[in-house]
Amino acid sequence: MLAEPAAALGLPLRLLAEAEGMSAAQVIPDHVVGDYRDLSTLRSVTEGCQVVTFDHEHVPTEHLRALAADGLAVRPGPDALVHAQDKAVMRAKLGELGIPCPRNTVVASVADVEAFGFPCVLKTTRGGYDGKGVWFVSSAEQCAEPFDSAAASGVALLAEERVDFRRELSALAVRSPSGQAAAYPVVSSTQRDGICHEVIAPAPDLDPDLAGEAQRIALTVARELGVTGVLAVELFETTDGRVLVNELAMRPHNTGHWTQDGAVTSQFENHLRAVLDLPLGAPHPRARWTVMVNILGGPDGVGRLYDGYPHALARDPRLRVHLYGKELRPGRKVGHVNAYGNDLDDCLERARHAAAWFRGDLGNDSE
Ligand code: ADP
């Protein structure tokens, strides 16, 4: 999705792809297939590049340090990115900055978890995504699986208080190396089975003070951690009216996909502008509401995808569709739709209908 604004701006991209045929490799001709955990691959791919950036945070921190030591502009840099790679490092830093977070501690044994108190949430400090590496535990017995899993992958475990939240919010900011920053409107997101399912921009009925607080948190974290590019701050809106930081991502984020059609400048374009230290574009919404719904493969892996176009596009000429060129697999994100307009219920209905249609949930009978 970075390729689209890169093409518009005439910026040549070179890609390190995990495998031939991956979404990004389909649209970036100048790509190399290789392992992002291999330093020599990273060195050869980045040779001659003006700047290096990422669409996931799993490139080993020490390799990023080596590339930076070679003189390459790595954005975000390893000192910032480590806070999106390692939840324990992130929690410690946010605590230092006085940013509100759930109560937390690193745990080395079940006894540590008992001392912290049940019920709580256990998380692997590294390598988790889409709810993988997160366990809700209420007893010592339930701690066995998280500890086994953490030991198998050689990572530590973090215990967090189980937050009683009203909903999940996301505050997106973008920052350039010279310090210019912009904050997008705060959005609400809903998850299904730990995977982001739907985003509403801006978050409906959000107290303006709380929205301001969430944006301030994002801008403060971006500045204090020296983030370059997009920073997504996932937050809990607690039932007693506070915001607490759940986690950080330093790349264009699923909760910012609405900006492709709903904001003056998309998160992808602003990420490119930021990592190139170009002036940022306006983050303002183009419409009162934008709803983004992800298209996920159904349980039997069957869906319509491209066959869904005639119906989805004819039903809603204002619908914006983004498919990733991925094969359908159960639970896999294969695309998303955006619907924008002045009426939230209408946007919700249009986006949900289209996503359900592509997924194959709606038969012809229901039409
Ligand atoms: P991932 O890195 O897999 O995205 P997260 O830390 O975002 O993991 O957790 C996944 C989901 O688990 C969150 O979206 C939220 O719904 C729930 N969750 C995470 N931490 C807590 C917590 N401390 N209290 C309550 N729910 C939580």
Side-chain angles (χ1 to χ4, degrees), residues 207-294:
D207 176 339
D209 288 343
L210 216 51
E213 162 80 359
Q215 287 184 315
R216 256 191 311 280
I217 288 174
L219 291 169
T220 303
V221 170
R223 186 186 65 233
E224 294 298 322
L225 270 49
V227 177
T228 44
V230 169
L231 167 74
V233 181
E234 294 179 25
L235 300 146
F236 299 121
E237 182 185 359
T238 63
T239 45
D240 61 356
R242 294 172 299 142
V243 283
L244 300 176
V245 173
N246 176 24
E247 67 168 342
L248 308 179
M250 293 179 196
R251 53 176 164 78
H253 192 250
N254 201 169
T255 59
H257 286 2
W258 70 274
T259 62
Q260 286 176 303
D261 305 299
V264 174
T265 317
S266 78
Q267 62 165 349
F268 298 101
E269 176 164 343
N270 259 340
H271 186 77
L272 290 174
R273 291 191 192 204
V275 300
L276 288 164
D277 209 9
L278 293 169
L280 303 177
H284 308 124
R286 286 177 187 266
R288 177 149 161 62
W289 299 105
T290 304
V291 172
M292 190 277 331
V293 180
N294 277 329

Side-chain angles (χ1 to χ4, degrees), residues 80-91:
L81 193 72
V82 68
H83 299 93
Q85 295 178 314
D86 189 313
K87 289 177 179 169
V89 173
M90 178 268 289
R91 286 285 180 236

Side-chain angles (χ1 to χ4, degrees), residues 87 121 123 128-132 134 136 160-163 165 168 191 234 236 246-247:
K87 289 177 179 169
V121 184
K123 299 181 175 185
Y129 65 96
D130 282 348
K132 293 179 183 66
V134 175
F136 293 81
E160 287 183 2
E161 92 184 79
R162 191 162 176 170
V163 177
F165 60 87
E168 295 186 57
Q191 334 288 321
E234 294 179 25
F236 299 121
N246 176 24
E247 67 168 342

Side-chain angles (χ1 to χ4, degrees), residues 36-38 42 58-65 85 126:
Y36 59 81
R37 293 163 300 190
D38 178 53
L42 294 173
H58 304 308
V59 182
T61 324
E62 64 272 19
H63 291 357
L64 298 178
R65 288 197 202 289
Q85 295 178 314
R126 280 182 175 257

Side-chain angles (χ1 to χ4, degrees), residues 60-349:
T61 324
E62 64 272 19
H63 291 357
L64 298 178
R65 288 197 202 289
L67 294 179
D70 291 348
L72 212 60
V74 179
R75 294 178 182 157
D79 292 336
L81 193 72
V82 68
H83 299 93
Q85 295 178 314
D86 189 313
K87 289 177 179 169
V89 173
M90 178 268 289
R91 286 285 180 236
K93 182 68 181 178
L94 296 191
E96 229 173 78
L97 294 173
I99 306 271
C101 290
R103 192 171 64 86
N104 66 86
T105 189
V106 172
V107 285
S109 64
V110 178
D112 286 353
V113 187
E114 281 175 321
F116 182 77
F118 292 115
C120 67
V121 184
L122 293 179
K123 299 181 175 185
T124 53
T125 51
R126 280 182 175 257
Y129 65 96
D130 282 348
K132 293 179 183 66
V134 175
W135 296 266
F136 293 81
V137 293
S138 317
S139 66
E141 295 73 57
Q142 290 175 352
C143 297
E145 189 194 332
F147 274 101
D148 287 350
S149 169
S153 45
V155 295
L157 273 184
L158 186 75
E160 287 183 2
E161 92 184 79
R162 191 162 176 170
V163 177
D164 196 8
F165 60 87
R166 184 182 161 217
R167 59 180 169 178
E168 295 186 57
L169 302 174
S170 171
L172 222 76
V174 57
R175 183 178 175 277
S176 64
S178 53
Q180 192 194 356
Y184 283 94
V186 177
V187 304
S188 61
S189 69
T190 43
Q191 334 288 321
R192 271 191 199 161
D193 304 326
I195 300 178
C196 173
H197 161 66
E198 190 173 283
V199 168
I200 303 177
D205 305 320
L206 179 61
D207 176 339
D209 288 343
L210 216 51
E213 162 80 359
Q215 287 184 315
R216 256 191 311 280
I217 288 174
L219 291 169
T220 303
V221 170
R223 186 186 65 233
E224 294 298 322
L225 270 49
V227 177
T228 44
V230 169
L231 167 74
V233 181
E234 294 179 25
L235 300 146
F236 299 121
E237 182 185 359
T238 63
T239 45
D240 61 356
R242 294 172 299 142
V243 283
L244 300 176
V245 173
N246 176 24
E247 67 168 342
L248 308 179
M250 293 179 196
R251 53 176 164 78
H253 192 250
N254 201 169
T255 59
H257 286 2
W258 70 274
T259 62
Q260 286 176 303
D261 305 299
V264 174
T265 317
S266 78
Q267 62 165 349
F268 298 101
E269 176 164 343
N270 259 340
H271 186 77
L272 290 174
R273 291 191 192 204
V275 300
L276 288 164
D277 209 9
L278 293 169
L280 303 177
H284 308 124
R286 286 177 187 266
R288 177 149 161 62
W289 299 105
T290 304
V291 172
M292 190 277 331
V293 180
N294 277 329
I295 303 168
L296 272 70
D300 51 4
V302 179
R304 290 163 207 265
L305 283 193
Y306 298 99
D307 292 345
Y309 274 138
H311 168 83
L313 303 186
R315 183 180 192 265
D316 184 357
R318 288 179 299 150
L319 184 76
R320 309 297 304 162
V321 183
H322 302 265
L323 295 187
Y324 311 155
K326 287 185 177 174
E327 259 176 58
L328 274 174
R329 272 191 234 134
R332 186 185 206 193
K333 287 179 197 166
V334 293
H336 65 274
V337 292
N338 285 328
Y340 57 88
N342 289 324
D343 184 298
L344 177 56
D345 287 337
D346 177 61
C347 294
L348 283 168
E349 194 279 329

